[in-house]
Amino acid sequence: MIKQILLFSSLLTCSYLLTGCDSSENQSLPPNQTTTTAHPANSTTPHEAQSSTELIPKGILSTDKLEPFWGDLDEMKDRKLIRALVTYSKTDFFIHNGKIKGLQAELLQNYENHINKGIKKEIDKTKIVYIPVTFDQLIPSLVEGKGDISAALLTATDERKKLIDFTKSKYSEVSEVIVRHKTAPKIDSLEDLARKTILVLKGSSYAEHLHRLNKQAVFKENAIHIIEADSTLLSEDILEIVNAGIYNYTIIDDYKAILWLKTLTNLEIAEKINLSKKNSLGWGVRKQTPLLQDSLNEFIHSNVQKGSLLGNILIKRYLGSTKRITNPLLDLERDRLIRLLPHFEKYAEKYQLDPLALAAQAYQESQLKQDTKSHKGAVGVMQLLPSTAADPNVNIKEIHKVDNNIHAGAKYMDFLSRHYLPSEEITPINRFLLSLAAYNAGPGNLRKMQKLTTKMGLDQNVWFGNVEIAAGRIIGRETVHYVSNIYKYYTIYNLSKLIYTERVQTLQQYVK
């Protein structure tokens, strides 16, 4: 059954995978970080951008198509348009060299070919366009008529089936398995989960099933501590966090675990038990769209029947050289953080920044090492060029000293935010993420990213699933990876702070 699931998730990428891929496509960045070399205020960096019209990837949905629509396949064909809700990630959906790629993108492109079979004129063909959303919006956006297919392999739980319908296949049954860091205590029964901390995807079936388990009598006084990660993270991000040893346990579909454990070597599956078994897996469609559901089912059934297993090719193509995060909470890194935290707090307060976000940026830049120096001449914890620190908008001297270095980095982030992101509609977290993109790629390139984002019909004030897509088109994947990794580290710091606070509160109850 596991092989059949792997087949279901990878088979329809066959035609593309067998043609090979650009060797530069998945070039991993140096271990743990890309040294940014923060750029002067008027910099656009050496990256050369084409005109924004040339840069728009075909197939990204524009704003004039965002009006709610609830019709079935026949009406979609009349419109010549099917809208697919996708999550932007390094495996499911991303843009490289102006082309849409990823597992779900490949599946959808094959389905587009399927429904247009025998139609010769391009003008008569029905096109699939993509609407990037966060994972927790895949179902709500579908219900609200903002998309026609939730293009992710979703578990058809009872709660979800009340809201939407799912595609079906005899090959699409999966089990949810417990994955642990290899140094964590083994789990041989569900009772062994008592009082364990488990990190899972927010809004996932894994969280739903864990909460249901906690209602059982055996867990009444020994509840599982369930942490639902931020909605911008995906399953592979959470596996990376566990692989790095930051958390010990997570839950994931068995076929995903088998794929990812080939590259995340610190993980092990609890083989004796499952959290749930024989779950139906598929794309989501709105209720009252039986024609679309039948068409997708026929496509999945006919293509899976005649394929061959391409799991190893899929691993090499999408997962083999993916950059990994490291553990910012190991003893040495934690000691550095504790030592530097007063500096981050001081300048975060001065410039109205989040100290943990600033610390996460510094960890990505230098692993909190002041003696770090890049080949381009960037120095210190915040990896600043002396010319940037000397810029009149920053004007901080002696950045070889750690306090001045962090001050200069925080002040430059503040300048980027105030000067290049004046809109009051930008949320604090998006302001930080967009400023990071400017810090990494140069503020001139940030403006180009935002301009292209608007032309694609997306929100220029939101990073994930919006400006990051334009960044991938203009700069490549370096800036996308840079911002993504910092956000993961920021999430880790916040989750660790949450756990620490809860533990202190628990201890205080016993002291009383």
Side-chain angles (χ1 to χ4, degrees):
M1 180 61 70
I2 296 301
K3 288 185 178 181
Q4 292 169 330
I5 295 299
L6 291 173
L7 178 61
F8 175 73
S9 66
S10 64
L11 169 67
L12 300 180
T13 65
C14 179
S15 61
Y16 178 77
L17 295 175
L18 293 179
T19 63
C21 60
D22 183 350
S23 60
S24 65
E25 171 116 351
N26 264 332
Q27 291 296 315
S28 58
L29 304 174
N32 187 58
Q33 95 221 339
T34 302
T35 300
T36 288
T37 309
H39 304 284
N42 60 356
S43 171
T44 58
T45 78
H47 296 288
E48 293 294 332
Q50 301 160 255
S51 73
S52 52
T53 300
E54 294 171 338
L55 288 167
I56 299 176
K58 292 181 179 179
I60 299 291
L61 196 61
S62 59
T63 47
D64 64 333
K65 301 295 184 184
L66 289 178
E67 292 297 324
F69 170 79
W70 290 276
D72 203 349
L73 182 60
D74 53 347
E75 295 176 70
M76 295 174 199
K77 288 183 175 181
D78 288 341
R79 284 160 43 101
K80 304 292 187 290
L81 180 69
I82 298 175
R83 303 161 302 161
L85 299 162
V86 292
T87 55
Y88 192 83
S89 75
K90 56 180 170 278
T91 55
D92 273 358
F93 174 83
F94 60 91
I95 294 171
H96 185 73
N97 290 335
K99 295 180 180 179
I100 295 171
K101 297 182 179 180
L103 296 179
Q104 300 303 329
E106 297 290 344
L107 290 168
L108 288 163
Q109 287 164 9
N110 277 272
Y111 177 62
E112 181 180 303
N113 293 337
H114 174 80
I115 59 174
N116 288 310
K117 193 175 296 183
I119 301 174
K120 295 182 179 180
K121 293 182 179 180
E122 284 297 316
I123 195 172
D124 294 329
K125 292 182 179 180
T126 300
K127 301 295 183 183
I128 294 179
V129 291
Y130 306 90
I131 306 174
V133 295
T134 55
F135 179 85
D136 63 342
Q137 288 302 308
L138 281 168
I139 293 176
S141 294
L142 184 66
V143 173
E144 293 166 7
K146 296 178 180 177
D148 304 308
I149 302 170
S150 287
L153 296 180
L154 299 169
T155 302
T157 67
D158 291 339
E159 290 301 311
R160 287 175 175 172
K161 285 190 283 189
K162 293 175 184 177
L163 299 172
I164 63 172
D165 289 331
F166 290 86
T167 58
K168 297 175 183 177
S169 168
K170 65 180 181 179
Y171 299 121
S172 63
E173 286 187 350
V174 299
S175 297
E176 294 176 352
V177 297
I178 300 160
V179 175
R180 69 180 181 94
H181 190 273
K182 62 184 180 182
T183 62
K186 290 186 177 181
I187 303 295
D188 294 323
S189 68
L190 289 177
E191 287 74 17
D192 290 342
L193 295 176
R195 296 191 178 184
K196 297 292 191 298
T197 297
I198 303 181
L199 182 67
V200 292
L201 188 65
K202 183 178 180 180
S204 65
S205 59
Y206 320 134
E208 182 181 326
H209 292 150
L210 282 173
H211 284 297
R212 185 187 303 165
L213 193 63
N214 257 347
K215 293 178 181 179
Q216 296 182 12
V218 68
F219 294 103
K220 187 173 182 180
E221 295 181 0
N222 300 284
I224 303 165
H225 187 197
I226 305 163
I227 297 181
E228 295 190 46
D230 188 281
S231 61
T232 55
L233 299 182
L234 297 172
S235 295
E236 60 255 40
D237 299 317
I238 292 173
L239 285 175
E240 280 192 88
I241 289 171
V242 175
N243 185 70
I246 299 157
Y247 285 86
N248 285 331
Y249 303 99
T250 190
I251 309 293
I252 196 168
D253 293 330
D254 48 12
Y255 78 96
K256 290 181 183 178
I258 290 171
L259 285 176
W260 279 98
L261 262 61
K262 295 185 184 216
T263 55
L264 300 177
T265 55
N266 289 330
L267 300 179
E268 291 183 0
I269 298 173
E271 296 182 352
K272 295 183 179 181
I273 58 167
N274 303 114
L275 180 62
S276 63
K277 296 180 179 179
K278 294 185 177 180
N279 300 305
S280 179
L281 193 75
W283 282 341
V285 295
R286 273 189 314 280
K287 291 185 178 294
Q288 289 82 49
T289 56
L291 296 177
L292 177 61
Q293 185 180 24
D294 289 346
S295 175
L296 288 169
N297 286 338
E298 191 275 329
F299 161 71
I300 291 167
H301 179 77
S302 61
N303 281 276
V304 168
Q305 288 281 21
K306 62 183 181 182
S308 58
L309 183 62
L310 297 175
N312 289 332
I313 299 175
L314 182 149
I315 285 289
K316 183 177 179 181
R317 171 66 181 83
Y318 287 108
L319 312 181
S321 59
T322 304
K323 182 186 170 186
R324 303 285 164 234
I325 65 169
T326 59
N327 188 347
L329 300 177
L330 292 173
D331 289 345
L332 184 59
E333 278 79 2
R334 187 172 61 245
D335 289 345
R336 291 193 198 115
L337 176 61
I338 292 171
R339 210 166 49 244
L340 295 177
L341 195 54
H343 302 282
F344 292 126
E345 288 175 337
K346 176 169 66 173
Y347 295 114
E349 183 179 3
K350 182 178 178 68
Y351 297 109
Q352 296 183 313
L353 300 169
D354 185 322
L356 292 181
L358 205 59
Q361 181 184 3
Y363 186 81
Q364 170 71 16
E365 290 286 358
S366 66
Q367 287 189 293
L368 305 177
K369 298 175 184 177
Q370 177 59 19
D371 60 359
T372 302
K373 186 173 182 178
S374 79
H375 68 283
K376 294 181 180 179
V379 299
V381 169
M382 301 301 292
Q383 284 297 282
L384 284 151
L385 287 170
S387 58
T388 302
D391 188 279
N393 296 296
V394 181
N395 195 27
I396 302 294
K397 297 179 172 58
E398 297 183 311
I399 59 171
H400 61 280
K401 297 179 179 179
V402 67
D403 186 77
N404 290 357
N405 192 279
I406 293 173
H407 185 188
K411 188 174 181 180
Y412 185 47
M413 284 288 286
D414 175 63
F415 167 74
L416 292 171
S417 174
R418 287 186 294 102
H419 191 74
Y420 292 95
L421 300 166
S423 173
E424 295 182 359
E425 296 179 1
I426 304 175
T427 63
I429 188 60
N430 277 302
R431 183 172 296 280
F432 177 70
L433 297 172
L434 293 166
S435 297
L436 286 176
Y439 196 97
N440 178 260
N445 276 326
L446 174 63
R447 282 180 165 169
K448 292 175 184 176
M449 294 174 203
Q450 289 185 298
K451 184 177 180 181
L452 178 58
T453 302
T454 300
K455 283 185 175 289
M456 289 191 293
L458 302 174
D459 191 340
Q460 68 166 7
N461 293 330
V462 175
W463 175 257
F464 287 115
N466 290 268
V467 181
E468 73 168 336
I469 295 176
R473 183 64 188 94
I474 292 174
I475 303 298
R477 301 186 75 181
E478 177 183 330
T479 299
V480 173
H481 279 303
Y482 176 80
V483 177
S484 176
N485 271 10
I486 292 173
Y487 192 74
K488 289 176 195 175
Y489 293 133
Y490 175 59
T491 300
I492 291 164
Y493 284 149
N494 273 311
L495 288 172
S496 301
K497 179 181 176 183
L498 174 65
I499 290 175
Y500 174 78
T501 301
E502 289 180 351
R503 285 175 179 169
V504 168
Q505 290 172 346
T506 301
L507 288 171
Q508 286 174 342
Q509 290 176 2
Y510 286 101
V511 170
K512 290 177 181 178

